[in-house]
Amino acid sequence: MPENLNQKSLLFTPEGVRDIYGEDCEKRVKIQNAIHDIMKLYGFKDIQTPTFEFFDIFSHEKGTVTSREMFKFFDQYNNTLVLRPDITPSVARCVAKYYEQEDMQIRLCYTGNTFVHRSGYQGKLSEITQIGAELMNDDSSDADGEMIAMTIEGLLKSGLKEFKVDIGHAALFRGLVEEARLTGEETQQLKIYLQNKNIFAVEDMLEKKDIPGDCKELLIRLPDLFGGMETIAYAKERTSHAGAAEALERLEKIYQILETYGLSDHITFDLGMLSHFEYYTGVIFKAYTYGTGDAIVTGGRYDHLTEQFGKQTPAIGLVFVLDQLMEALDSQQVKIDAREGDTLILYRSANRRPAIELANELRTRNKPARLMRKNAETPLEEYKEFGRRNEVESILYIDDTGEVTEFRLGSA
């Protein structure tokens, strides 16, 4: 292969990952910081976990993704390591290790990238950025309501106006399949049909089973059971299973709590919601909006995950999927003012000292300042064009006499 052709091939990224630069990157950072600020206002403290960990932290038995979906490699001791496909198990491990004796609330938040192998690619990213929060040692419905309220406030802060947070409960489906006396294999098959919203396959499967009439009707209708409080009332009339009834009552309490926050208009109940992660035990929720087909926020209660690391800790968490959120904001043409309005200080070498002093003065006033020594052969107009291309608001030019002239720049 010719050397120049090989060099050109190095300019491309592998499938599933991408470069983000310029104004797009500035916008992402601005939205990321805005959501992080909301979490800090709710009292969450930052935590950072490793990008790769031991395979067993994320093994399928822990309830996260399958082995074939992970990026795996080996260390010098032949231990199997993986790039983290999910950050929640890492935080659970940290809580079991560093907060072993803490019995009161633990509030942790983070920003990081996760890595999931996408077979066949099909336009889905293998590396995505998550902004997440975990509230531990609190099993109350108030904790559930607070996390959903923080989700809504974060989305409003990002600039979205039209979105819905769909809320379900993992224990509802588990209770109904127990009431229907389905086997493990039948339950897994039913989950696939429900996730695909394949009502015909659900009907065909359940019609052959000896299931109480109301329970059968409820299971068949699960894919269509979304709406307001009337949805909860409908389901409560059709199940006698204690676990399922308790799940529905929990959803009623969460609605009342969100009414107190003044945010109930942003929620919808989806009783057919099923989670990809098996570790969810209680309320689960996903936020959707126009301009992207996937959820922009996912979350739920996982009261037993931390037990697998040695600490009994009820918990609820959420993640903003930044890549999906940015896609939605772009599609809806939500304006994100990410231009910093830098000042470019242009000087000749004889005026280096006053140029540096001027830059330091601007920076102490929290105003971005760039320094650039002017080439004698390069006309001033070329520096102005450079500034317009690179988010420079004004140029302060120190000429050979030491006089400072300001040039205000418009957009390119």
Side-chain angles (χ1 to χ4, degrees):
M1 179 183 294
E3 184 178 349
N4 62 339
L5 188 60
N6 183 52
Q7 288 175 338
K8 285 185 177 181
S9 69
L10 294 177
L11 297 177
F12 298 95
T13 62
E15 284 188 343
V17 296
R18 58 177 175 160
D19 299 312
I20 305 167
Y21 63 98
E23 190 173 358
D24 286 344
C25 191
E26 294 287 347
K27 288 179 177 179
R28 282 173 66 94
V29 171
K30 185 159 188 175
I31 296 301
Q32 177 179 308
N33 290 341
I35 294 170
H36 180 257
D37 287 346
I38 292 291
M39 293 178 176
K40 299 299 284 185
L41 289 174
Y42 273 71
F44 287 81
K45 304 302 180 184
D46 290 300
I47 186 171
Q48 294 182 359
T49 62
T51 304
F52 62 88
E53 297 211 42
F54 291 118
F55 170 80
D56 287 343
I57 299 295
F58 308 100
S59 65
H60 194 53
E61 290 72 21
K62 296 285 193 296
T64 185
V65 302
T66 62
S67 175
R68 62 183 173 81
E69 294 176 295
M70 299 185 205
F71 288 92
K72 297 185 287 290
F73 56 102
F74 300 95
D75 66 9
Q76 66 269 39
Y77 307 108
N78 213 33
N79 295 308
T80 304
L81 308 177
V82 297
L83 294 177
R84 61 186 179 201
D86 180 16
I87 300 179
T88 297
S90 294
V91 176
R93 174 189 58 75
C94 286
V95 167
K97 182 177 181 181
Y98 303 112
Y99 296 85
E100 183 181 5
Q101 303 303 319
E102 181 57 72
D103 296 325
M104 301 293 281
Q105 274 191 357
I106 301 168
R107 292 173 179 252
L108 299 171
C109 64
Y110 56 84
T111 299
N113 288 7
T114 59
F115 307 85
V116 178
H117 178 67
R118 307 290 185 183
S119 58
Y121 187 40
Q122 297 180 340
K124 289 204 170 186
L125 292 169
S126 293
E127 180 183 16
I128 62 171
T129 302
Q130 294 186 349
I131 311 164
E134 316 291 342
L135 174 52
M136 301 195 173
N137 277 340
D138 191 335
D139 61 358
S140 69
S141 55
D142 288 84
D144 295 348
E146 183 178 359
M147 293 297 274
I148 296 171
M150 188 169 71
T151 296
I152 295 169
E153 289 199 31
L155 292 175
L156 291 171
K157 184 76 171 180
S158 77
L160 284 181
K161 298 287 191 298
E162 297 184 65
F163 62 87
K164 282 289 183 184
V165 179
D166 294 347
I167 306 174
H169 201 293
L172 175 62
F173 177 74
R174 294 188 181 115
L176 292 177
V177 296
E178 282 183 17
E179 186 177 357
R181 298 187 297 276
L182 298 182
T183 65
E185 185 177 339
E186 289 170 334
T187 299
Q188 288 304 313
Q189 189 60 58
L190 180 59
K191 283 184 71 172
I192 294 171
Y193 292 151
L194 290 172
Q195 286 170 335
N196 294 331
K197 302 292 185 181
N198 190 341
I199 299 175
F200 301 105
V202 172
E203 285 184 2
D204 184 60
M205 176 182 179
L206 297 180
E207 285 298 336
K208 303 170 185 176
K209 302 290 295 182
D210 181 20
I211 301 172
D214 283 344
C215 179
K216 181 182 293 187
E217 178 187 343
L218 193 51
L219 280 169
I220 290 173
R221 287 210 56 195
L222 269 185
D224 290 330
L225 284 181
F226 53 88
M229 288 296 291
E230 73 283 353
T231 308
I232 306 295
Y234 173 88
K236 285 182 73 173
E237 293 173 357
R238 286 162 177 78
T239 180
S240 58
H241 188 276
E246 185 178 335
L248 294 167
E249 289 170 6
R250 182 78 163 210
L251 294 178
E252 286 181 321
K253 290 179 182 176
I254 291 170
Y255 181 83
Q256 293 165 4
I257 292 165
L258 290 169
E259 273 193 319
T260 305
Y261 277 96
L263 299 172
S264 57
D265 288 347
H266 291 284
I267 68 168
T268 301
F269 293 109
D270 182 356
L271 301 189
M273 182 184 296
L274 300 173
S275 174
H276 177 65
F277 294 146
E278 292 293 337
Y279 55 65
Y280 285 135
T281 57
V283 61
I284 48 179
F285 55 93
K286 298 178 182 180
Y288 293 94
T289 189
Y290 304 109
T292 180
D294 293 322
I296 52 178
V297 183
T298 64
R301 174 163 289 282
Y302 54 97
D303 286 343
H304 303 299
L305 176 62
T306 312
E307 288 179 15
Q308 301 181 63
F309 300 104
K311 178 179 172 64
Q312 291 187 345
T313 305
I316 181 170
L318 63 85
V319 292
F320 288 78
V321 186
L322 186 59
D323 302 87
Q324 297 298 334
L325 177 55
M326 295 308 300
E327 182 181 331
L329 291 169
D330 182 61
S331 176
Q332 295 180 33
Q333 299 181 332
V334 174
K335 182 174 174 56
I336 305 170
D337 186 8
R339 294 183 66 87
E340 293 293 337
D342 295 358
T343 297
L344 172 60
I345 300 172
L346 194 61
Y347 64 96
R348 300 283 287 142
S349 57
N351 293 309
R352 181 181 295 111
R353 180 177 294 277
I356 292 174
E357 290 174 350
L358 181 55
N360 287 339
E361 179 188 346
L362 289 171
R363 290 166 186 161
T364 58
R365 286 155 41 197
N366 207 31
K367 294 185 176 181
R370 310 183 187 191
L371 283 165
M372 183 180 289
R373 195 174 79 186
K374 185 180 183 303
N375 189 309
E377 306 300 321
T378 305
L380 187 58
E381 194 57 39
E382 288 194 24
Y383 289 99
K384 292 180 182 178
E385 289 301 321
F386 166 80
R388 293 188 184 98
R389 294 194 307 270
N390 288 276
E391 300 183 34
V392 172
E393 190 174 85
S394 65
I395 294 178
L396 296 179
Y397 175 46
I398 307 177
D399 63 20
D400 291 336
T401 68
E403 183 177 348
V404 179
T405 304
E406 181 177 16
F407 300 94
R408 303 289 297 181
L409 305 181
S411 301

